[in-house]
Amino acid sequence: MSSGAATSGDMQAAAVQAGEPAAEPAGVALITTLGCTHCKQAKAALQEAGLRFEVHELTDQIEVLARVTSVTGHATVPQVFVGGQLLGGAAELQAALADGSLQQRLQSVADAALPAELQAILSSKGAAQGAAADDAAAAAAGEGDQHSRLQQLAAGLRDELASSSRDRSFSLQRAVEWVQQQQQACTAEAAAAALARLQAAQLLAIAVPAGSRDAELPLSLQLAQQRPHLRLRLVADAPPPQRWSQPLNGQFAWFGPARPAEQVAASLRQSLLRLYDRHLTADGRRVRYAALTANPEWQQFVAAAAELQKVDLSGLSSREQRVACFINIYNVLVVHALLVFGAAQGTFSRLRWFDSVSYLIGGQRFSSNDIEHGVLRGNKPSPASLLCLLGKPQWAGPTFRPGDPRAALAVSPPDPRIHFALNCGAASCPAIRVFTPASLEAGLEAAAQAFCTGEVRVEKARGQVELSMIFKWYGADFGSKQQLLEFLAAHLPPAGPAGELRGLLAAQGADAIQLAFRPYDWSTNAAD
């Protein structure tokens, strides 16, 4: 596709992929991201109305999305265009469909759905993507047959050896013998080499958790002769963690080196977002979690998360690399934990949940609290720690104690906009996104604007601002009350709320403005 990702399968014939020829031009164009409730609603509304539309999905193209929003002046998605003009978002689209004005407008529209300036931006993106796709396809062509053969070999091992074992494991000697039996005139050395290729492809592992002494032994004929009873297990059969304290990506050892940390984190986030979006309900508000975890791509994601074990965290030399990388990892970790363990019930259980669920990253364990408070908040204590809850935050120690090597990753001073980029898995959380070092500023700014637009209300007549509990829990990250209100004014829509808040500040000052914090909604968005 030249300028957008494939539209969701449930859009059927009413949606056309951007850049593809159509019997008649699409009258409406959408700028969207994956996992976006309002994007899903907009597509469903157009589908129900039977109108043709094209989708430009920019989840992993934050630089392009930043250019689009700079042209349109809107930091939220979806952005709906008709006849070269911006109609608005999902609410404006639904209103125009309800009163018939959109259908009437389409009858007289002759121009392309997108304005020329955006067509140029998206066309340049499409050309770059097309070239990258061609290169990737050429590289994959040479590896496809080999990977297919490895998958067939793995399937045979599962059917013949793993299925007869209670823990799905089998001995190295038995595996070598079985491969020899399957391949005529196959020597023991060739059979061991085939198992080594499975190991290198992350399809087969030694049946011990990551970090164990034997975890990274390379499979070979010599090893088979020295340790014939060494147990192996297919990666797909690695047992899932049973307790919150067990790292979610530590059930088998990643074999060989890993890619750069920020690349692994972004790749995992993109994979999970695609799964997430595919299993959103039509209204975009709920996720079919049972169907998601039954999808074969879920097991591929779980296996891919093990690559974090081997990333080199010292390679995150810049602030932008660390922030982008750990935002992506946090968001992946929390959703992964929700899918495996489910949500914690009750305040104290929830506190323990966030302090327990973890990944092995670069050889060290990081819980979600370690990432949020230790890394992204500059090694501050959690506001849910006992001393903070007792009103004595000055006595609370840092998340990473002295001597902890993870403290070297702390981002200081922290950027308060991270709170709008972190997805805690609850209904009140900010929108989920994929971040890159190069696009960090644009991504954080867009996240802050989107969150403030949806979660902050200015009651001018009452001299009150109603806002999310996030601003109370993390108030110190935003500075004084004056600084917090100025931050809100800078990130609210300028046409109304921002001007009203600035007017209140000018008329009565920050101290006189009342702050009302809405109760936080901890319910999950599970549809099952």
Side-chain angles (χ1 to χ4, degrees):
M1 224 169 33
S2 66
S3 56
T7 53
S8 175
D10 60 5
M11 293 299 102
Q12 300 177 6
V16 296
Q17 296 180 355
E20 290 190 351
E24 58 182 273
V28 181
L30 303 179
I31 303 294
T32 69
T33 59
L34 292 178
C36 166
T37 293
H38 302 297
C39 297
K40 196 80 169 183
Q41 291 172 350
K43 289 185 279 189
L46 288 166
Q47 170 72 12
E48 185 176 353
L51 299 177
R52 297 183 64 79
F53 59 99
E54 61 186 51
V55 178
H56 301 264
E57 192 272 297
L58 302 177
T59 302
D60 56 353
Q61 298 291 324
I62 298 181
E63 295 90 342
V64 176
L65 185 57
R67 292 175 63 192
V68 169
T69 57
S70 69
V71 170
T72 64
H74 289 258
T76 58
V77 289
Q79 295 188 16
V80 185
F81 294 86
V82 182
Q85 296 183 344
L86 178 65
L87 175 66
E92 290 78 10
L93 171 64
Q94 291 168 333
L97 287 170
D99 65 16
S101 59
L102 177 59
Q103 294 88 329
Q104 186 176 24
R105 182 174 171 181
L106 287 172
Q107 292 177 1
S108 59
V109 166
D111 297 330
L114 285 171
E117 189 172 2
L118 292 190
Q119 289 183 49
I121 292 173
L122 295 171
S123 293
S124 63
K125 164 187 175 282
Q129 281 189 328
D134 290 343
D135 291 342
E143 300 175 0
D145 289 343
Q146 180 182 356
H147 190 69
S148 178
R149 287 194 295 271
L150 290 176
Q151 287 181 316
Q152 291 175 9
L153 183 59
L157 286 168
R158 174 178 291 108
D159 293 341
E160 296 298 326
L161 302 184
S163 61
S164 61
S165 170
R166 186 176 63 178
D167 66 354
R168 310 287 289 178
S169 71
F170 44 88
S171 72
L172 174 53
Q173 180 181 27
R174 183 70 185 93
V176 170
E177 292 171 351
W178 181 84
V179 174
Q180 283 188 272
Q181 293 169 6
Q182 299 307 301
Q183 301 179 15
Q184 192 173 18
C186 178
T187 65
E189 185 174 8
L195 296 176
R197 288 192 292 273
L198 285 176
Q199 184 185 36
Q202 315 300 333
L203 295 173
L204 180 66
I206 296 173
V208 293
S212 301
R213 185 179 61 180
D214 293 338
E216 296 186 55
L217 291 173
L219 299 181
S220 65
L221 179 59
Q222 182 181 13
L223 184 64
Q225 292 169 339
Q226 293 174 345
R227 301 185 60 180
H229 302 298
L230 185 68
R231 306 299 290 181
L232 308 181
R233 185 184 287 119
L234 293 164
V235 165
D237 291 334
Q242 301 298 316
R243 300 185 301 275
W244 293 353
S245 59
Q246 294 177 299
L248 284 157
N249 66 337
Q251 280 54 61
F252 78 95
W254 183 266
F255 186 77
R259 294 170 293 167
E262 64 267 28
Q263 185 178 344
V264 175
S267 175
L268 289 171
R269 190 63 185 139
Q270 290 161 7
S271 297
L272 192 55
L273 273 174
R274 285 184 170 80
L275 268 171
Y276 187 91
D277 188 80
R278 195 170 300 148
H279 295 90
L280 277 173
T281 55
D283 63 5
R285 298 184 183 279
R286 300 288 173 183
V287 184
R288 300 181 184 90
Y289 285 133
L292 191 158
T293 53
N295 190 315
E297 292 183 22
W298 165 248
Q299 288 303 325
Q300 295 173 18
F301 162 80
V302 171
E307 189 175 3
L308 287 170
Q309 299 167 11
K310 292 285 196 70
V311 297
D312 180 8
L313 294 177
S314 67
L316 301 175
S317 56
S318 73
R319 175 188 179 94
E320 291 76 17
Q321 286 176 309
R322 274 179 284 159
V323 173
C325 180
F326 277 99
I327 286 175
N328 288 331
I329 293 176
Y330 179 97
N331 288 334
V332 169
L333 169 60
V334 169
V335 176
H336 192 166
L338 283 172
L339 290 167
V340 172
F341 297 126
Q345 302 299 320
T347 300
F348 292 106
S349 180
R350 191 177 301 117
L351 294 177
R352 188 167 63 86
W353 192 94
F354 281 100
D355 200 39
S356 299
V357 299
S358 65
Y359 274 152
L360 293 176
I361 309 172
Q364 302 175 87
R365 180 181 174 274
F366 287 80
S367 70
S368 62
N369 276 348
D370 292 333
I371 294 173
E372 180 178 6
H373 309 301
V375 177
L376 295 173
R377 294 188 61 236
N379 204 20
K380 293 184 177 181
S382 165
S385 64
L386 179 60
L387 288 171
C388 288
L389 292 174
L390 293 174
K392 302 293 182 181
Q394 68 276 16
W395 293 353
T399 294
F400 298 141
R401 303 297 179 180
D404 191 325
R406 297 173 298 173
L409 295 164
V411 177
S412 185
D415 188 324
R417 294 175 299 177
I418 63 163
H419 297 299
F420 316 121
L422 298 178
N423 170 38
C424 66
S428 290
C429 283
I432 46 183
R433 297 174 184 270
V434 178
F435 288 83
T436 66
S439 65
L440 180 64
E441 176 59 29
L444 288 176
E445 191 64 10
Q449 291 181 26
F451 186 79
C452 292
T453 298
E455 295 288 338
V456 178
R457 299 286 179 270
V458 178
E459 302 289 345
K460 184 177 179 180
R462 299 167 59 184
Q464 177 178 288
V465 177
E466 182 181 298
L467 61 172
S468 165
M469 283 292 291
I470 284 178
F471 294 102
K472 182 175 183 179
W473 293 332
Y474 299 103
D477 292 0
F478 293 89
S480 65
K481 185 178 181 181
Q482 175 77 31
Q483 290 171 318
L484 168 61
L485 292 172
E486 289 175 352
F487 176 94
L488 296 177
H491 293 91
L492 284 168
E500 293 175 348
L501 180 52
R502 289 193 175 97
L504 285 175
L505 283 168
Q508 57 191 64
D511 290 342
I513 298 175
Q514 296 181 354
L515 301 182
F517 299 98
R518 288 190 302 279
Y520 201 79
D521 184 356
W522 285 105
S523 62
T524 67
N525 57 354
D528 305 308

